[in-house]
Amino acid sequence: MSSPRANHQDPVAAFRRADRLLSRHRPLEALDALRPVLDAHGPDEPGDASVHLLAGRAYLDSAQLRKAEASFVRVVEIDPADHYARFALGKTLQRQGRLGEAETQLKIASAMDPRPEYQEALGEVRARIALAPDRP
């Protein structure tokens, strides 16, 4: 087990530990490891986009969708050209049933980088919108 000093005083070590935990499908532990890094920035400070992106992924993987959304929005505010953050935000909005908003983010992500997974996600959202019973 790593020392408390590595987790609480060294933000790089905490980030790496959180990334490893998330890759092992342990999002709650990843968030615990990342907490000191997240807490180091005040609410008005943007912080590092990579930290918020990792937190967003962990929140999404642990079904904390509002927190995931806030993290991905923060990344997009810091770096509007981050296509992955827009993709992840779109997926988060989709899981919340906010399909129109999800479609917008997925369209932007797909336009920035036409990766197959972005295109598939966009197609899925569009299909769900088309099949929605309350569609005008």
Side-chain angles (χ1 to χ4, degrees):
M1 180 167 224
S2 52
S3 72
R5 187 179 92 77
N7 291 333
H8 296 292
Q9 293 181 354
D10 182 1
V12 173
F15 180 88
R16 288 181 179 154
R17 181 169 186 269
D19 191 43
R20 283 191 308 271
L21 288 164
L22 189 57
S23 71
R24 293 184 203 137
H25 307 289
R26 296 164 62 181
L28 297 176
E29 291 175 56
L31 287 165
D32 285 342
L34 199 56
R35 181 66 43 213
V37 181
L38 290 168
D39 291 345
H41 298 284
D44 296 329
E45 297 176 55
D48 188 292
S50 61
V51 172
H52 293 292
L53 189 62
L54 183 61
R57 290 176 45 222
Y59 286 130
L60 183 60
D61 286 357
S62 61
Q64 298 180 62
L65 302 179
R66 293 287 186 188
K67 290 181 179 181
E69 177 184 352
S71 292
F72 295 134
V73 165
R74 170 95 33 114
V75 175
V76 169
E77 289 169 349
I78 294 168
D79 181 6
D82 189 322
H83 58 86
Y84 180 79
R86 290 187 179 275
F87 167 72
L89 177 56
K91 294 297 287 182
T92 302
L93 294 166
Q94 178 186 5
R95 285 184 59 185
Q96 293 179 67
R98 295 162 55 194
L99 300 178
E101 294 170 82
E103 181 184 28
T104 298
Q105 293 302 321
L106 293 170
K107 276 198 292 193
I108 294 169
S110 294
M112 294 171 127
D113 189 335
R115 295 178 186 212
E117 60 266 31
Y118 295 4
Q119 299 291 325
E120 289 171 22
L122 180 57
E124 182 181 322
V125 166
R126 285 180 169 163
R128 286 186 60 197
I129 289 171
L131 295 173
D134 57 348
R135 186 173 167 235

